[in-house]
Amino acid sequence: MTSPPTPETPSPSTTRILFRVSDGRTNIHSFPTSTTLADIRQYIHKQLDLDPSSTEISKRMPAKTLDVDIDKNTLEDLGLVPTGTLLLCSLAQRQKELKESEERRKREYEEKGEFLQEDSWHYVSLKSYLYTYAAVIVGLVAALLLFLTRPQNDQYDNKY
């Protein structure tokens, strides 16, 4: 005997999205599941007063940045049904935070009296560079000494 097939549970027609903005604000709104990511960007612009061109949208589970190239995808396609969380990060705010962090780090080094070397991404203490290079040199010298002090045994060298 076979059991009768169980009907599939229909997907809900709406989904609740929690928006978490990097400045600490939160917003919850219900959307139809057929809402596209482009529509979400418009909502973010109108209701949350964020510039969509300079706001990064990402989802939490699984962690993924939602780029403009997938704007035609629906909330259901993105796995945001029946609920979902979108993280909104203003790129201008992120750049400002990075700049403040670098300035704070630079002040800390200057207060310690350490010299700084501006790297391509951030300020690094010259002491850090010196320790790194010293460790590399010690490793190379150790390898060279091991190579030069290995036993020279002719019977093994000419065996094959």
Side-chain angles (χ1 to χ4, degrees):
M1 283 196 203
T2 61
S3 60
T6 57
E8 292 184 18
T9 307
S11 64
S13 60
T14 61
T15 183
R16 286 176 52 117
I17 301 295
L18 168 65
F19 296 95
R20 291 190 176 272
V21 186
S22 58
D23 62 10
R25 292 182 291 158
T26 60
N27 181 292
I28 298 175
H29 190 76
S30 293
F31 297 95
T33 57
S34 60
T35 303
T36 64
L37 186 56
D39 297 332
I40 296 293
R41 289 186 197 281
Q42 289 176 359
Y43 175 83
I44 290 168
H45 178 63
K46 291 177 183 174
Q47 298 298 321
L48 301 176
D49 197 30
L50 294 172
D51 180 13
S53 64
S54 66
T55 301
E56 180 183 84
I57 303 173
S58 58
K59 66 180 199 166
R60 295 181 70 173
M61 299 300 275
K64 180 181 178 183
T65 301
L66 304 177
D67 295 322
V68 178
D69 58 341
I70 61 170
D71 269 1
K72 292 181 181 177
N73 290 10
T74 65
L75 295 176
E76 193 166 12
D77 296 338
L78 297 170
L80 298 169
V81 173
T83 62
T85 300
L86 292 178
L87 307 173
L88 309 175
C89 182
S90 167
L91 299 178
Q93 182 179 352
R94 179 178 285 174
Q95 289 173 343
K96 179 182 171 188
E97 290 171 356
L98 285 172
K99 185 176 180 180
E100 289 172 356
S101 172
E102 289 298 321
E103 289 172 358
R104 185 173 49 254
R105 188 171 180 187
K106 184 179 179 181
R107 280 193 308 272
E108 288 171 1
Y109 279 126
E110 288 173 349
E111 288 171 2
K112 293 178 186 178
E114 295 182 3
F115 294 103
L116 296 176
Q117 173 67 42
E118 187 173 353
D119 203 345
S120 59
W121 292 102
H122 56 276
Y123 289 95
V124 178
S125 167
L126 286 180
K127 191 184 296 185
S128 299
Y129 276 122
L130 292 176
Y131 287 147
T132 303
Y133 289 132
V136 169
I137 290 171
V138 167
L140 290 172
V141 168
L144 184 62
L145 286 174
L146 286 172
F147 178 76
L148 293 176
T149 59
R150 70 171 194 201
Q152 297 292 328
N153 201 340
D154 288 337
Q155 75 183 37
Y156 295 115
D157 289 341
N158 296 327
K159 190 171 186 179
Y160 296 104

